[in-house]
């Protein structure tokens, strides 16, 4: 049978507030266990929540970025369940009145086309703590530092049809929240996690098949791999005439397979009801417009501008716009050099290769955008040739610079990379080369006019060997002139 | 010294009649010698009280005293007190030394009051008889076989037994007004949001409100002056100016329009009870008030609505009592669910477990609309009854309770019997209105309470009306015959 | 509305409350009585009534995003049943 895959994602993004959603504890990552858990975060008797205005503003910002309906009235509910990392025995979340309603984003597919994915809603809620299972003599240790960190949970419509689309959606959301500055996007620290709902149905059938939910997938690559492995698992079962059990599963990246979560075996009845400790959150159009005025240029707009105003190819534009820092780096360098195509080639070439090789982010690269811009300027005014430019770049990567554009010039000098463009100096070198190679000159002169363009090659090599950093175009001109005079 | 009101003590301390240490020691001795008869205190914090009293006397000597400096009082054990056991009447919190102060506790400390300790209560404030406390039943000083009312039974008994001149209390469905009525005292439940709930262990968050139990309305006004006010830590607390509630006590009440809800004078309310309340109303008429019959047609729905909303909220509020971060933990838990189930099963008493289960059931899948949503809708109907009534009258009066104090064990067989005790008090909590109970007579030598219901944030008028009644009558001065029960 | 004994066990389980089997019948009776009491509401027509979650029609205040809390772990953990190296300990949780 031919199957159609149906995928919906729930993405949890930690909001980059300083303090927690309902308390004044720090949200900083990596502190010693329970040192950032105050009475509210611990759920002590008698404590009450106080809502963080920045969490609200960030959620609204996100809603505007995905062109969503903004909930002018949003209401916090309690979702009741017992788990040791949930100190109050309920999670404060938004069920019926989320802060962000229906919206959408466009994802780019491999064939260069784009696909719209609708977002059902995004709501504010509090993160849970963490359980540590090793090192406590068979017990679990509970760290509530993360408890109460603000999250938005972004729920997509089940509109993705393969794992690649799902990964592209996750990437795009990552790109949007980091552009907005509402989430640091650090997947390794769990700043963004993704729950993948996967089901299969016979092609042509309208009704959805039974779905499973893969919890807490935390990298783009794993989203793709987890979904593919789950699709394969479900397909095996269905092809054998079996039934899919609706359940929550975990992805094991080492084994590249999913397994059912034991803690979620019992279907939970969450008994949602409006949180009586919090009042309805009311905002008006003025508030929304004020937030809208703070929106930065978003990836899609930036991509379009790169393509239309600066003549980049759609793929180049998409790659360069996807990451806010990379886009900023690219644009800074391009503006200095006044050449977007040259900058695009460099950022996607040497810069990206270096990031990959060193496994670092653009922010950690020792070559600043200003330095790259200066290198490109020097290429453009013929001070550097391509080889020289790469040499300077690599020297900077190795730390031989202080971040300033001036240090580029100093390196060019100290490495002797300045290209000789002065035709007088080049004429002298050419004269020497011609004088030293009479046989070559003889054979050149014996070559018919129409084949001389190729025969001039060996002279160029000899000239450049004699003098590093000569401008090849000037060498060519001088050679042609001198040879024609013979 | 022990029969003094808060206002008396304030004047006496100012006049140098005695020191704060002297009255504190006097009351501590009295508690030590007699509270075994009432069981009104769970914790007596002698050391802390004497330290506070000494500090208050020093403050007075330095010329920095004000109205509350050095006045002894005590807190219901629902309020967190930093470094002091805070049990909420439960085994679950029988080892809970609160690591912070409730806002109102902080307010009294800052005002210079002396806290003698923590007062007994129905477990997690669930009860109308103070029989559900892990620390044992509290006895009514008027009759040791009878209940003091609940859930603030310890607060009422301690004031009635003259162990403290005033106590904090809390009221979710009548827990201040009913014990005040049963013990012949003045109880005040302010408007929801008037007093911060920070540090008051939550039973039903949208109904809970802190208030006072005292001998006189004047003392209630003095206490409310300390307690009321905005607190950023409680999102439901209202940012609204706090008047000096003592300043309007002596206003004339001539022309005050009193509404008498016909639903509160039902045929099944005993003739004796009706008579006492009618007598009190007649007293008000003598003072120049006008009386008007009104209707609160949804009165009969208040108890059913309450017994969905309160259990639903409590089922979530008490989930944090799980034996992980504080409180009681069962022995040798086998796994996490065993830890939860036994810690909670052993830590909570039967009434608390019943309410948690009713709440969980009412909120469970498929029942939400029929129960919780319905109750919230009925809640609005009940509120609208009052809003309409207050378009016609200034204040509403009626009985606080259907009967005087009943005997221990009388209503424990079927919880519903106990719930019906709160028939006149519970609607105010649903509406969020302020209410008082003042002593207005006796039936069979037991006090009868008159309930006064005010419009939102109209505590000043309530206290004024209560005070004026107390200026013209002496029911609030009647005290139980303590000599018969206690070796004083 | 009358509950059966299995429903009582299920609600107790959902609420993480250990109830002695011997007490189930009493819970069944009392809880059923309470549900009978609240079932009076079903007769009321509330179709046009907006549910009321709070007594005052107030709206949520917002708190400035400022870190106001310091590390008080030792203070809070003094009252904890079991801790180690700053962690709260519970029987091992399986995910």
């Amino acid at each position: 049978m031919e199957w159609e895959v149906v995928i919906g994602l729930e993405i949890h993004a930690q909001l980059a507030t300083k303090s927690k959603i309902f308390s004044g504890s720090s949200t900083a990552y990596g502190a010693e266990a329970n040192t950032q858990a105050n009475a509210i975060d611990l759920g002590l008797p008698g404590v009450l929540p106080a809502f963080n205005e920045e969490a609200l503003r960030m959620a609204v910002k996100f809603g505007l970025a995905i062109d969503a309906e903004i909930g002018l009235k949003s209401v916090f509910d309690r979702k009741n369940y017992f788990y040791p990392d949930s100190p109050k025995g309920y999670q404060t979340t938004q069920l019926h009145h989320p802060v962000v309603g229906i919206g959408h984003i466009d994802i780019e597919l491999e064939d260069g086309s784009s696909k719209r994915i609708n977002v059902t809603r995004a709501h504010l809620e509090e993160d849970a703590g963490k359980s540590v299972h090793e090192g406590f003599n068979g017990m679990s240790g509970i760290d509530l530092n993360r408890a109460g960190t603000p999250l938005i949970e972004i729920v997509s419509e089940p509109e993705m049809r393969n794992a690649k689309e799902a990964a592209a959606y996750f990437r795009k959301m990552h790109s949007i929240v980091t552009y907005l500055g509402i989430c640091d996007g650090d997947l390794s620290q769990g700043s963004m996690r993704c729950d993948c709902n996967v089901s299969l149905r016979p092609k042509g059938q309208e009704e959805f098949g039974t779905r499973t939910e893969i919890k807490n997938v935390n990298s783009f690559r794993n989203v793709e791999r987890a979904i593919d492995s789950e699709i394969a698992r479900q397909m095996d079962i269905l092809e054998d005439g079996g039934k899919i059990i609706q359940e929550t599963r975990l992805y094991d990246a080492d084994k590249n397979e999913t397994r059912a979560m034991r803690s979620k075996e019992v279907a939970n009845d969450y008994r949602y009801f409006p949180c009586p400790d919090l009042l309805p959150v009311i905002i008006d159009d003025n508030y929304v417009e004020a937030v809208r005025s703070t929106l930065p240029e978003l990836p899609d707009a930036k991509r379009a501008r790169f393509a239309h105003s600066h003549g980049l190819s759609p793929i180049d534009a998409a790659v360069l716009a996807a990451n806010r820092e990379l886009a900023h780096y690219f644009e800074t360098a391009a503006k200095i050099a006044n050449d977007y195509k040259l900058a695009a080639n460099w950022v996607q070439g040497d810069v990206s290769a270096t990031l990959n090789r060193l496994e670092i982010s653009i922010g950690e690269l020792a070559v600043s955008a200003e330095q790259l811009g200066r290198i490109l300027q020097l290429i453009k005014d013929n001070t550097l040739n391509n080889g020289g430019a790469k040499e300077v770049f690599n020297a900077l990567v190795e730390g031989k610079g202080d971040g300033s554009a001036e240090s580029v010039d100093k390196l060019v000098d100290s490495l002797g990379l300045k290209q000789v463009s002065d035709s007088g100096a080049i004429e002298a070198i050419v004269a020497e080369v011609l004088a030293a190679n009479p046989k070559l000159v003889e054979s050149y002169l014996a070559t018919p006019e129409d084949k001389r363009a190729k025969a001039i090659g060996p002279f160029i090599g000899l000239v450049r060997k004699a003098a590093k950093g000569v401008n090849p175009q000037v060498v060519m001109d001088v050679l042609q002139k001198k040879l024609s005079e013979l | 010294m022990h029969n003094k009101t808060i206002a008396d003590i304030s004047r006496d301390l100012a006049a140098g009649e005695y020191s704060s240490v002297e009255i504190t020691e006097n009351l501590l001795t009295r508690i030590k010698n007699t509270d075994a008869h009432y069981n009104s205190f769970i914790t007596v914090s002698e050391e802390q009280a004497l330290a506070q009293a000494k500090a208050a006397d020093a403050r007075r000597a330095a010329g920095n005293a004000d109205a509350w400096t050095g006045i002894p009082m005590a807190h219901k054990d629902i309020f967190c007190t930093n470094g002091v056991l805070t049990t909420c009447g439960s085994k679950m919190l029988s080892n809970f030394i609160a690591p912070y102060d409730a806002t109102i506790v902080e307010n009294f400390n800052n005002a210079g009051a002396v806290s003698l300790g923590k007062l007994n209560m129905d477990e997690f404030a669930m009860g109308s008889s103070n029989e559900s406390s892990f620390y044992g039943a509290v006895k009514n000083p008027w009759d040791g076989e009878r209940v003091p009312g609940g859930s603030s039974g310890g607060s009422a008994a301690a004031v009635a037994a003259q162990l403290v001149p005033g106590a904090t209390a809390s009221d979710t469905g009548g827990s201040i007004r009913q014990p005040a009525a049963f013990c012949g005292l003045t109880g005040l439940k302010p408007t929801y949001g008037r007093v911060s709930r920070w540090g008051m262990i939550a039973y039903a968050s949208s109904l809970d409100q802190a208030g006072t139990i005292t001998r006189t309305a004047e003392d209630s006004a003095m206490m409310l002056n300390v307690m009321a006010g905005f607190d950023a830590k409680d999102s439901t607390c209202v940012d609204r100016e706090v008047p000096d509630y003592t300043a309007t006590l002596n206003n004339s009440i001539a022309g005050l329009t009193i509404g008498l809800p016909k639903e509160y004078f039902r045929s099944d309310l005993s003739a004796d009870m009706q008579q006492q309340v009618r007598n009190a109303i007649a007293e008000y008429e003598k003072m120049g008030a006008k009386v008007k019959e009104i209707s609160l047609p949804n009165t009969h729905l208040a108890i059913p609505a309450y017994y969905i909303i309160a259990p639903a909220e409590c089922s979530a509020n008490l989930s944090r009592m799980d034996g992980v971060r504080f409180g009681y933990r069962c022995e040798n838990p086998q796994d996490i669910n065993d830890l939860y189930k036994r810690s909670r099963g052993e830590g909570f008493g039967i009434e608390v477990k019943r309410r948690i289960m009713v709440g969980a059931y009412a909120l469970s899948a498929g029942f939400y609309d029929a129960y919780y949503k319905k109750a919230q809708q009925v809640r609005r109907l009940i509120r609208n009854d009052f809003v309409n009534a207050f378009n016609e009258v200034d204040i509403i009066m009626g009985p606080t309770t259907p009967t005087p104090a009943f005997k221990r064990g009388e209503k424990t067989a079927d919880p519903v019997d106990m719930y019906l005790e709160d028939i006149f008090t519970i609607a105010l909590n649903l509406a969020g209105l302020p209410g008082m109970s003042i002593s207005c007579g006796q039936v069979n030598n037991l006090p009868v309470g008159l309930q006064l219901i005010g419009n939102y944030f109209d505590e000043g008028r309530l206290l004024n009306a209560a005070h004026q009644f107390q200026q013209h009558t002496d029911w609030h001065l009647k005290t139980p015959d303590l000599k018969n029960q206690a070796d004083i | 509305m009358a509950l059966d004994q299995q429903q009582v066990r299920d609600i107790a389980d959902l609420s993480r409350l250990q109830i002695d089997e011997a007490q189930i019948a009493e819970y069944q009776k009392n809880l059923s009585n309470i549900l009978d009491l609240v079932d009076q509401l079903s007769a009321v027509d509330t179709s046009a009534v907006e549910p009321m979650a709070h007594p005052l029609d107030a709206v949520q205040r917002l708190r400035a995003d400022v870190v106001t809390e310091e590390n008080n772990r030792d203070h809070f953990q003094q009252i904890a049943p079991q801790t180690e190296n700053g962690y709260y300990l519970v029987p091992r949780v399986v995910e």
Side-chain angles (χ1 to χ4, degrees), chain A residues 18-20 23-24 32-34 38 50-53 82-83 133 138-140 142 263 276 278-280 282, chain C residues 14 16 54 59-60 62-63 65-69 71 73 76-77 82 86-90 92-95:
Chain A
K18 295 185 195 77
S19 65
K20 293 188 178 176
S23 90
E32 235 186 272
N34 291 308
N38 75 353
F51 180 41
N52 184 339
E53 62 175 356
F82 287 90
Y83 204 69
H133 309 300
M139 297 189 83
S140 290
I142 310 297
S263 58
L278 291 161
L279 299 163
I282 307 290
Chain C
L14 186 64
R16 300 294 187 275
H54 293 93
V59 302
Q60 181 60 38
L62 302 175
R63 173 180 65 81
D65 180 26
V66 179
V67 176
T68 53
E69 298 290 326
N71 172 19
R73 183 174 76 186
F76 291 131
Q77 294 199 339
Q82 197 178 0
Y87 288 82
Y88 293 97
L89 292 196
V90 297
R92 194 184 182 97
V93 183
V94 187
E95 283 183 284

Side-chain angles (χ1 to χ4, degrees), chain B residues 367-380:
Chain B
F367 294 112
Y368 180 86
D369 283 2
Y371 285 117
Y372 192 75
K373 188 176 167 204
K374 189 88 179 178
Q376 298 280 43
Q377 289 170 315
V378 169
R379 184 172 186 181
R380 188 172 294 279

Side-chain angles (χ1 to χ4, degrees), chain B residues 401-480:
Chain B
T401 60
T403 64
F406 49 88
K407 290 192 170 166
R408 273 198 307 285
E410 203 176 306
K411 293 180 192 286
T412 43
D414 183 350
V416 171
D417 284 346
M418 190 74 86
Y419 298 173
L420 296 175
E421 257 305 296
D422 293 331
I423 178 75
F424 301 128
T425 50
I426 233 165
L428 273 72
N429 299 80
L430 292 168
L433 290 165
M436 289 187 74
S437 179
I438 55 177
S439 194
C440 73
Q442 287 189 354
V443 168
N444 302 328
N445 296 320
L446 293 169
V448 172
L450 172 73
Q451 183 172 222
L452 290 71
I453 304 168
N455 209 338
Y456 293 103
F457 298 99
D458 214 4
E459 288 83 0
R461 194 198 298 263
L462 279 180
L463 288 160
N464 171 215
H467 181 67
Q468 289 306 306
F469 184 83
Q470 292 176 345
Q471 296 304 103
H472 287 83
T473 61
D474 62 359
W475 293 110
H476 64 293
L477 299 178
K478 301 214 179 299
T479 54

